[in-house]
């Protein structure tokens, strides 16, 4: 499986309605602390928009809702993974992305046979408090070596200006939140991301984006 090199992460279906039509092909819906019924409605709306625009939707944390709503990809952190029913996720034929922050977490993640591994935070992030110091891009090269051909996602403090550094170290995809959502012009910034990641598209993804 190949991931699009531009991996957008947003916290609402409104953001998905706003940015996915610009040409985004890989998006994560990462919602925290909302009632179950609202979460379900957001996932349903996000899925409909993503289907219309041939964009792959990844649901963060809420794997059961993702199964129930017929989504095809979930992202779990290590604490999520510890309490998730991975067999149920696989039986429902969902793909699975996993967070990692150190070697022990990487071993746990690889044992679950993920469809991608994310490493972060590569640089400091303003989105949330993290227990890990910035990994630096050099650590991506170590992950690349350790995980063979499992797709590698770089996350944490990634900006358009830093993209070259993460792809040079072996990342397949760069995940982003605040460089887009807290930009004064999120649509313009999304277009910059699309243009800057075009160089890193494989043939298949290039066809998907066109
Ligand atoms: C692509 C990607 N990488 C890492 C994370 C973080 O997941 P997690 O550690 O479970 O933290 P929360 O995002 O749930 O706060 C992610 N969501 N996406
Ligand atoms: C949600 C998340 N997880 C991380 C990890 O390292 O696991 S870093 C991160 C935040 C990414 O946001 P931004 O692009 O604004 O830095
Ligand atoms: Mg999580």
């Amino acid at each position: 499986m190949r991931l699009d090199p531009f991996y957008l992460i947003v916290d609402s279906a409104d953001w998905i309605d706003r940015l996915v039509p610009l040409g985004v092909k890989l998006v994560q819906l990462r919602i925290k602390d909302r009632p179950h019924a609202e979460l379900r409605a957001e996932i349903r709306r996000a899925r409909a928009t993503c289907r219309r625009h041939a964009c792959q939707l990844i649901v963060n944390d809420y794997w059961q809702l993702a199964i129930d709503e017929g989504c095809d990809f979930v992202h779990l952190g290590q604490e999520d993974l510890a309490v998730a029913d991975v067999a149920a996720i696989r039986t429902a034929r969902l793909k699975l992305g996993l967070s990692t922050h150190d070697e022990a977490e990487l071993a746990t993640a690889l044992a679950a046979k993920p469809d991608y591994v994310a490493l972060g935070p590569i640089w400091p992030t303003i989105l949330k408090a993290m227990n890990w110091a910035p990994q630096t891009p050099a650590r991506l090269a170590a992950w690349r070596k350790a995980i063979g051909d499992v797709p590698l996602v770089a996350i944490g403090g990634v900006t358009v200006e830093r993209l070259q550094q993460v792809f040079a170290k072996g990342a397949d995809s760069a995940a982003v939140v605040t460089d887009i959502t807290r930009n004064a012009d999120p649509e313009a910034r999304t277009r910059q991301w699309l243009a800057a990641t075009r160089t890193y598209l494989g043939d298949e993804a290039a066809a998907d984006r066109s």
Side-chain angles (χ1 to χ4, degrees):
M1 188 200 62
R2 253 194 114 108
L3 287 178
D4 195 280
F6 172 21
Y7 183 163
L8 175 65
I9 302 180
V10 292
D11 65 1
S12 70
D14 280 350
W15 272 118
I16 287 183
D17 283 348
R18 226 173 124 175
L19 300 180
V20 164
L22 302 178
V24 175
K25 293 297 170 193
L26 182 65
V27 68
Q28 181 187 121
L29 185 60
R30 178 180 178 273
I31 303 179
K32 297 286 174 181
D33 306 322
R34 292 272 289 279
H36 199 76
E38 286 180 26
L39 282 168
R40 183 184 292 280
E42 289 283 309
I43 291 171
R44 197 169 285 180
R45 255 182 73 203
R47 179 172 161 270
T49 302
C50 286
R51 284 235 167 132
R52 271 198 307 281
H53 294 277
C55 175
Q56 199 157 30
L57 174 66
I58 301 179
V59 175
N60 188 47
D61 294 343
Y62 297 102
W63 58 271
Q64 186 63 62
L65 273 175
I67 293 174
D68 295 347
E69 290 301 317
C71 301
D72 62 7
F73 217 137
V74 293
H75 180 93
L76 300 178
Q78 298 273 324
E79 285 155 21
D80 311 311
L81 179 66
V83 294
D85 185 344
V86 175
I89 293 169
R90 293 302 189 194
T91 301
R93 305 184 74 82
L94 269 70
K95 294 191 193 71
L96 175 64
L98 295 174
S99 302
T100 67
H101 306 93
D102 61 25
E103 279 85 358
E105 291 192 355
L106 181 58
T108 302
L110 290 177
K113 305 234 172 306
D115 294 286
Y116 72 74
V117 162
L119 173 66
I122 304 301
W123 288 278
T125 178
I126 58 169
L127 187 76
K128 67 173 199 178
M130 300 278 323
N131 291 331
W132 286 270
Q135 309 278 356
T136 78
R139 190 113 149 128
L140 284 165
W143 253 230
R144 173 79 286 151
K145 214 168 154 190
I147 71 177
D149 58 8
V150 176
L152 177 59
V153 174
I155 186 168
V158 187
T159 62
V160 167
E161 293 72 20
R162 288 170 165 166
L163 281 173
Q164 201 275 335
Q165 293 183 68
V166 303
F167 291 116
K169 296 294 183 193
D172 298 293
S173 186
V176 54
V177 187
T178 54
D179 188 51
I180 288 179
T181 59
R182 299 203 191 170
N183 191 278
D185 187 342
E187 281 81 1
R189 195 61 170 165
T190 298
R191 288 194 185 90
Q192 287 177 5
W193 269 79
L194 285 165
T197 52
R198 194 165 290 281
T199 326
Y200 306 103
L201 286 170
D203 293 344
E204 211 178 301
D208 287 349
R209 272 214 205 165
S210 57

